[in-house]
Amino acid sequence: MSFVPGQPVTAVVERIEIQKLSQGPNLVLGFCIGGGIDQDPGQNPFSDDKADKGIYVTRVSPGGPADVAGLKIGDKIMQVNGWDMTVVTHDQARKKLTKKNEHVVRLLVTRKTLEEAVKQSMSRPGPS
Amino acid sequence: MDTESTYSGYSYYSGRSRGSHRHGERSRDRHKSRSKDSRSEKSVTINTPPAEPLLGDSSVRGEQVQDDNWGETTTAITGTSEHSLSQEDIVRITKDLEDSVGLNCRRYLTRILAVILGVLVLLTPLAFLVLPHLLWPDKLQKCGTACEGLYISIAFKLLILLLAVWGLFFRPPRASLPRVFAFRALLSVLVLLFVISYWLFYAVRILEAQDADYQGIVQYAVSLVDALLFIHYLAVVLLELRQLQPCFSVCVTRSTDGETRHYNLGQLSIQQAALAIIEHYYSDFPVHNPALLSASKSRAAKHLAGLKVYNVDGPGPGNNPAAGLAHSQSRAMIAAAARRRDTSHNELYYEEAEHERRVRKRKARLVVAVEEAFTHIKRMQEEEQKKSPGDVMDPREAAQAIFPSMARALQKYLRTTKQQHCHSMESIQQHLAFCITNNMTPKAFLESYLTPGPTLQYSRDRWLARQWTLISEASVTSGLRDGTVFLLKCVDFSLVIAAKKIPFVQMSEEYIDPKSHKFVLRLQSETSV
């Protein structure tokens, strides 16, 4: 999940689709986000690179739509419904996630275990 | 200073007690010698100007704007040679003579009046004390201890009064103003009335009745001196303290080159404000340099020079009245000049850029030359004095020794910045000796040549600002008001002065509890979605 300045960011991502749950007048997703380009990246407990200003999942409410869909705490959200989440402010990220007329959000998230899994599968000799 | 250093207004307490006559004569003698000096400076001597311009350049003041027709219509007017006076100088000198004669009478008159009033006031308490002893000594009661105590009090109060008057009124006068200073006149009238009323009372009640109670008379004299001290306090408040608090902001602009400064003045009359502004002028404004104005004049002349108006119809009898003809002519000229494609702005731009470049080049050469020149001499230490007593020089000789190496660069620089008439060779050498004596660096020496300094920095004949005329629509003894505008005219230029009231300041307070300065770290904000 670290990036080399000047090179495009590459990551192994997992596609997660969350159905919004309507609680009263609101639509909730069941998780909390932290981070953003206007926040202090040094405070982020989940990032490897303490200069990473991306959007991270800080809490997942158990049994909520995000938990059901497979979102884990500490995931970095790369895209929401096609909108980029790597270089956005905290408020912009919140807005993209809580659009009232969308009932489904499709996220691309990345986490360290994904990379390791891919590395392992690449180093294992596979069927040619 | 050539702005007529004379006595302004009245001084109504004389200096010394019994020797008032002597003092009056002494002051008059002082004054006479002073006026003689100033008069000799302005005497009409037609010989070479006292300060030779640098390397014999002819004075820039003789430069005249070229009149297009001069070759055809007039005989040639040669520029000013060293032995003639230009028309300006003659006018100036005659004006100086006239004014100095007229003002001398006024000075004498005011001085005499002031001395008379002073003597009267000073001798009055003493006269009150002495007259009973002279007129009815036998009837008079003996002066007891309380009475003698009052003698001491009178003596000290008179001494304090004398010192106070000397401090307030016996300062060297700074200027002679066109009109009488209203407050001073008021105060002297007040004092006169006061003293007269005391004398009246004394004459009627005491002299005629031949009052025997001497202590009462002494107390009366003491009360007079007390009241005089209070009047002196009033004088201090009216003449000195009232104008200290700034009330108006005046904007002073020189009419020829637009130099502007702003000053804060208190509640003054217009003539006093003018005096304060002139004193500020001498120290703040850079010296007036007429050579710098010739460029814009020639540009203005060129604008309309290319156009000539011909009247094709000829002067018909009663066709066009002369005024209408001139009017239409000027209109036509303005229209034609506006239509003409004028590239003079282009010329101006390139000329200014070129001039800037030239000035900077000359300045660089000058700085290098001066620095090099200064390395040739050094201050002799005490020990070396015993070693080589041969080549020891005093500052003047040292200056003369190193001057030639920088003279050329300096002359070229002054010529480029059109300052060469402000500095003569003698003055430059004097300045150099001064800088050497005081251990100044080359940069400090050059400072007075690189930037035009205030008027007083230059020698007297370069001031171009001696006789001032106050031109004002309101009466000059009326006070300054918001929007007052007046002019101070000199022979070569004028200062335009506009006054504005300083706004009334409304200040409110806000209390900040020192404990209210608290801070938190800006953590990552979490939002639940």
Side-chain angles (χ1 to χ4, degrees):
Chain A
M1 276 197 285
S2 61
F3 82 104
V4 176
Q7 305 296 321
V9 174
T10 55
V12 182
V13 293
E14 179 184 339
R15 190 172 286 136
I16 292 181
E17 192 174 304
I18 305 180
Q19 306 283 336
K20 288 193 188 179
L21 180 68
S22 47
Q23 256 182 18
N26 310 324
L27 290 168
V28 294
L29 287 163
F31 66 100
C32 294
I33 55 165
I37 53 175
D38 55 340
Q39 304 289 314
D40 182 6
Q43 309 268 347
N44 193 343
F46 304 110
S47 59
D48 280 339
D49 177 11
K50 287 304 170 193
D52 185 6
K53 294 186 172 182
I55 305 291
Y56 283 79
V57 174
T58 54
R59 233 184 286 183
V60 178
S61 49
D67 196 20
V68 163
L71 194 64
K72 305 272 184 292
I73 185 173
D75 288 353
K76 175 175 174 180
I77 304 178
M78 308 295 278
Q79 267 188 22
V80 169
N81 282 345
W83 294 102
D84 169 58
M85 286 283 127
T86 53
V87 193
V88 287
T89 62
H90 188 89
D91 208 44
Q92 283 170 341
R94 177 194 61 85
K95 280 187 189 155
K96 291 289 184 279
L97 282 166
T98 53
K99 284 207 171 347
K100 284 237 151 67
N101 47 5
E102 291 171 355
H103 289 257
V104 179
V105 284
R106 293 181 179 85
L107 311 177
L108 291 180
V109 301
T110 180
R111 57 183 87 94
K112 238 190 335 217
T113 51
L114 285 176
E115 288 225 15
E116 283 161 15
V118 168
K119 275 207 205 106
Q120 273 188 358
S121 65
M122 293 215 315
S123 63
R124 237 184 316 155
S128 52
Chain B
M1 275 256 329
D2 282 337
T3 56
E4 305 298 319
S5 54
T6 62
Y7 213 81
S8 83
Y10 299 95
S11 137
Y12 51 88
Y13 295 129
S14 77
R16 318 278 169 260
S17 60
R18 302 293 162 95
S20 53
H21 299 292
R22 264 184 285 130
H23 171 77
E25 276 171 9
R26 238 188 295 142
S27 64
R28 247 175 268 140
D29 282 343
R30 239 193 299 139
H31 171 72
K32 256 201 202 132
S33 63
R34 211 188 299 160
S35 72
K36 237 192 255 163
D37 279 345
S38 56
R39 217 185 284 172
S40 71
E41 274 178 33
K42 292 194 209 74
S43 65
V44 181
T45 52
I46 306 185
N47 48 21
T48 59
E52 205 181 275
L54 182 61
L55 298 187
D57 281 344
S58 62
S59 160
V60 178
R61 220 185 294 166
E63 211 173 31
Q64 293 170 358
V65 176
Q66 286 288 328
D67 182 11
D68 271 333
N69 296 327
W70 73 272
E72 301 159 16
T73 56
T74 61
T75 52
I77 303 172
T78 59
T80 55
S81 69
E82 284 184 14
H83 290 275
S84 69
L85 291 174
S86 67
Q87 182 63 22
E88 281 179 358
D89 287 336
I90 291 177
V91 165
R92 209 176 299 174
I93 287 170
T94 48
K95 243 172 60 158
D96 288 349
L97 271 182
E98 284 167 6
D99 292 332
S100 60
V101 165
L103 278 169
N104 276 342
C105 302
R106 208 177 119 195
R107 278 189 238 164
Y108 277 133
L109 193 65
T110 56
R111 266 237 164 174
I112 288 174
L113 280 175
V115 165
I116 288 176
L117 188 59
V119 164
L120 178 70
V121 158
L122 195 58
L123 292 186
T124 300
L126 303 170
F128 284 179
L129 292 179
V130 162
L131 278 176
H133 278 293
L134 294 177
L135 293 179
W136 59 95
D138 38 341
K139 274 208 286 183
L140 216 46
Q141 280 176 8
K142 183 93 172 67
C143 191
T145 39
C147 183
E148 282 170 2
L150 287 177
Y151 277 164
I152 297 180
S153 132
I154 275 198
F156 276 103
K157 281 184 185 161
L158 272 180
L159 178 68
I160 290 175
L161 188 62
L162 243 49
L163 286 176
V165 160
W166 172 81
L168 189 60
F169 295 106
F170 275 77
R171 294 180 283 189
R174 313 187 290 187
S176 84
L177 299 177
R179 295 220 183 235
V180 135
F181 187 179
F183 279 139
R184 281 198 184 211
L186 181 72
L187 280 169
S188 48
V189 164
L190 181 68
V191 164
L192 196 62
L193 282 178
F194 179 72
V195 167
I196 286 176
S197 68
Y198 259 70
W199 267 111
L200 272 176
F201 185 84
Y202 187 75
V204 167
R205 287 297 206 72
I206 298 182
L207 284 183
E208 291 204 1
Q210 301 217 335
D211 195 3
D213 176 18
Y214 194 55
Q215 183 161 351
I217 296 177
V218 176
Q219 274 178 338
Y220 185 66
V222 170
S223 79
L224 170 67
V225 180
D226 284 341
L228 285 175
L229 278 172
F230 285 135
I231 292 186
H232 187 266
Y233 160 72
L234 180 68
V236 167
V237 164
L238 282 182
L239 298 180
E240 301 287 319
L241 292 183
R242 192 168 169 264
Q243 49 237 37
L244 289 181
Q245 198 181 46
C247 206
F248 293 97
S249 167
V250 293
C251 168
V252 185
T253 314
R254 188 155 59 184
S255 66
T256 48
D257 56 358
E259 281 279 338
T260 308
R261 297 277 186 285
H262 295 265
Y263 302 112
N264 276 1
L265 295 178
Q267 281 167 320
L268 298 168
S269 62
I270 289 184
Q271 61 181 1
Q272 274 191 304
L275 180 62
I277 285 167
I278 290 178
E279 290 175 349
H280 281 297
Y281 169 83
Y282 280 122
S283 68
D284 286 339
F285 276 69
V287 69
H288 174 248
N289 197 348
L292 294 173
L293 309 166
S294 51
S296 65
K297 281 192 201 153
S298 61
R299 268 204 303 277
K302 269 199 282 180
H303 279 312
L304 292 176
L307 295 173
K308 287 193 102 150
V309 181
Y310 294 98
N311 190 1
V312 178
D313 295 331
N319 262 354
N320 299 323
L325 185 62
H327 196 56
S328 61
Q329 261 186 8
S330 56
R331 275 238 184 110
M333 282 178 88
I334 293 174
R339 255 180 271 133
R340 187 172 64 166
R341 260 194 40 202
D342 201 357
T343 52
S344 57
H345 60 275
N346 225 359
E347 281 173 35
L348 174 62
Y349 171 72
Y350 283 114
E351 210 179 281
E352 284 203 342
E354 178 63 34
H355 182 256
E356 185 109 349
R357 210 178 56 85
R358 231 181 306 143
V359 165
R360 265 188 281 178
K361 197 161 59 137
R362 295 262 166 99
K363 179 177 161 182
R365 291 208 188 130
L366 174 64
V367 168
V368 163
V370 171
E371 281 174 358
E372 215 186 284
F374 266 64
T375 57
H376 291 315
I377 51 165
K378 76 170 169 104
R379 190 169 267 268
M380 193 180 66
Q381 308 297 328
E382 280 303 317
E383 313 85 56
E384 289 177 295
Q385 199 165 23
K386 303 161 200 139
K387 277 201 279 185
S388 57
D391 270 321
V392 177
M393 300 184 283
D394 68 352
R396 205 181 147 66
E397 290 163 7
Q400 276 171 349
I402 61 173
F403 179 64
S405 57
M406 65 166 94
R408 194 172 160 71
L410 187 58
Q411 177 218 353
K412 281 202 163 149
Y413 180 80
L414 289 179
R415 265 230 197 105
T416 315
T417 52
K418 302 210 175 90
Q419 282 177 311
Q420 76 271 24
H421 60 284
C422 298
H423 305 280
S424 68
M425 203 148 48
E426 183 58 41
S427 78
I428 297 178
Q429 282 183 350
Q430 259 177 10
H431 186 237
L432 186 54
F434 174 76
C435 291
I436 293 176
T437 318
N438 294 309
N439 292 329
M440 292 201 204
T441 58
K443 194 158 146 61
F445 163 70
L446 277 178
E447 189 55 38
S448 68
Y449 301 108
L450 294 179
T451 46
T455 313
L456 291 181
Q457 185 185 316
Y458 299 91
S459 62
R460 266 176 192 234
D461 41 339
R462 303 295 168 206
W463 283 353
L464 300 180
R466 302 184 199 191
Q467 204 48 303
W468 295 91
T469 312
L470 177 55
I471 300 175
S472 151
E473 287 162 14
S475 151
V476 299
T477 48
S478 64
L480 274 183
R481 257 192 291 244
D482 187 29
T484 305
V485 173
F486 56 96
L487 259 87
L488 274 170
K489 206 159 95 73
C490 193
V491 178
D492 294 316
F493 58 91
S494 57
L495 295 176
V496 181
I497 295 146
K500 270 201 151 59
K501 207 165 155 64
I502 294 179
F504 179 72
V505 172
Q506 277 216 343
M507 210 184 294
S508 55
E509 68 152 308
E510 191 182 309
Y511 174 67
I512 294 186
D513 185 9
K515 296 208 189 87
S516 70
H517 297 299
K518 294 206 185 305
F519 294 92
V520 290
L521 280 180
R522 205 214 306 182
L523 299 171
Q524 283 227 316
S525 56
E526 260 183 83
T527 326
S528 67
V529 291

